[in-house]
Each structure stands twice: as C-alpha cells, then as structure tokens.
Amino acid sequence: MVRARLLPALAALALLAGPLSTGSAWAAPDRNPASAPTGTYALDTRHAALIARIDHQAGVSKSVFRFDKLEGSLKWDSQKPEQSSLSVTIDPTSINTPVAGFAAELAGDKFFKSSQFPTITFVSKSIALQSPTTGKVTGDLTFLGVTKPVVLDVVFSGVGKAKDGAKLGFAATGKFDRREFGLTYLVGPVGPEVELQIDVEFDQVK
C-alpha cells in the first residue's frame, strides 16, 4: 500500500522537476560583459549581500556581520567597462548579527554612531581590467565622516534577462583598516582589518 501511494507522488515530482532539469525554463547567464546592454542599472535590493568579517579574540576566529539595507546605481559601458561607474549607499543600522542585542550596540555611539552618520557610501573613481571578466575597482569609502580609498577585486558573474530588461551580476572582495576611519574601539581583542564579501545584482533601468 505504501508503494502504491509513493509511486504517484514520485511521478508528480518528476513532472515538476522535468523542465528545470532540462534547462528549458532558465538559460545559463552570458559571461561576456559585452553582451550586457550599455545603460543605467539599479541595485536589486532583494539580491544584494554585503558581508563584513573581522578578527575576534585577536584572531582566534572571525566575527561575521551582514548589512541588510543597500541602495546603488551602476552606469555600465559594455564596450569599455573600465569607463563604467558605481555608487552604493549602506544603512549602518541594518547590520545583522547572531549575537542578541549586538547589532544595536554596533549601530550606537561606540561603533558606527549612526545617529550622527546615517549612511556609509562607496563611489567608484577608477576601474582597471585584469581580464574580460575581472578587475579592480578603486573608490572612495565614506565611513564615520571620513573618506578613504578602498580597492575591490570584482568578478563579472554574467548577464541575464529580467522581466523589464537585463540583469547584471557581480561578486567582489575587499578590505580596509577601520582605524583609518577613526573606529578604534576595542582594537586588540577585535581586529583592525575589515574584510568585505559582496554579491549583487543590478537591474536595467528603462
């Protein structure tokens, strides 16, 4: 009896999975940056992740944080990607951590002073291509009212089709010394270097 009930369920699952397994519903992204239409793109906030990692207990492990509220704009030049430009704004109060109550402390006067500095921004200044799909993006990071250059190692993940136009994907890593921005609280037990991991999608703006 169990077998009799199981077989129809498995058959239904096979029918549902069939289109996905054959690839008929979704095509693989195009990895050629030249295929991405030139124009203005807006950050897809539903598919934007900014992770910060920092040494804990003098390097015994890493504390990991995520910022949940980002906005951004990309001006993309498909023929000359190095002439593209990017700007991103981060809400420091959107920091997320698994330690109860710690996010509010980070947003407060000891760390981010978010009431005084309600945004963190990154504005690109130059792009140096290393290959058709990789490059270094140098930009101004403004944090705690201090602006310093930060370099991001960026990978072009691909271009796909969104409902109203093209969708571009990127992954990036970077790092900076928080002391250069005046954030010196607890340096020692908590490391000075902040590592960044970024995964984002941008939607073409009509």
Side-chain angles (χ1 to χ4, degrees), residues 164-181:
D164 298 320
K167 178 182 285 289
L168 308 186
F170 299 88
T173 58
K175 59 185 178 181
F176 64 90
D177 189 326
R178 64 187 178 100
R179 295 172 297 187
E180 295 183 354
F181 296 86

Side-chain angles (χ1 to χ4, degrees), residues 37-108:
T38 293
T40 300
Y41 291 75
L43 184 67
D44 181 350
T45 58
R46 302 166 304 169
H47 301 98
L50 171 58
I51 305 296
R53 302 171 74 241
I54 190 167
D55 280 345
H56 180 250
Q57 292 295 329
V60 169
S61 64
K62 296 281 187 183
S63 289
V64 180
F65 311 96
R66 173 173 173 144
F67 291 88
D68 290 333
K69 293 182 180 179
L70 295 80
E71 296 180 352
S73 176
L74 171 67
K75 293 184 178 179
W76 177 256
D77 188 326
S78 62
Q79 300 307 309
K80 295 182 178 180
E82 68 276 11
Q83 294 186 8
S84 302
S85 62
L86 167 72
S87 64
V88 176
T89 299
I90 303 147
D91 181 351
T93 66
S94 72
I95 192 167
N96 200 337
T97 168
V99 180
F102 192 33
E105 184 178 352
L106 287 169

Side-chain angles (χ1 to χ4, degrees), residues 101-163:
F102 192 33
E105 184 178 352
L106 287 169
D109 292 338
K110 291 180 181 178
F111 292 95
F112 294 166
K113 303 177 183 178
S114 58
S115 59
Q116 183 179 356
F117 305 105
T119 60
I120 302 168
T121 61
F122 179 84
V123 179
S124 67
K125 294 299 180 183
S126 65
I127 299 175
L129 297 182
Q130 296 178 302
S131 77
T133 57
T134 61
K136 290 184 178 293
V137 177
T138 300
D140 285 342
L141 176 65
T142 301
F143 178 39
L144 293 173
V146 178
T147 301
K148 296 283 185 180
V150 170
V151 179
L152 299 178
D153 292 300
V154 180
V155 177
F156 177 79
S157 303
V159 54
K161 292 182 179 180
K163 181 179 180 181

Side-chain angles (χ1 to χ4, degrees), residues 15-37:
L15 288 172
L16 290 172
L20 295 178
S21 62
T22 60
S24 59
W26 297 97
D30 189 333
R31 307 294 183 185
N32 181 7
S35 300

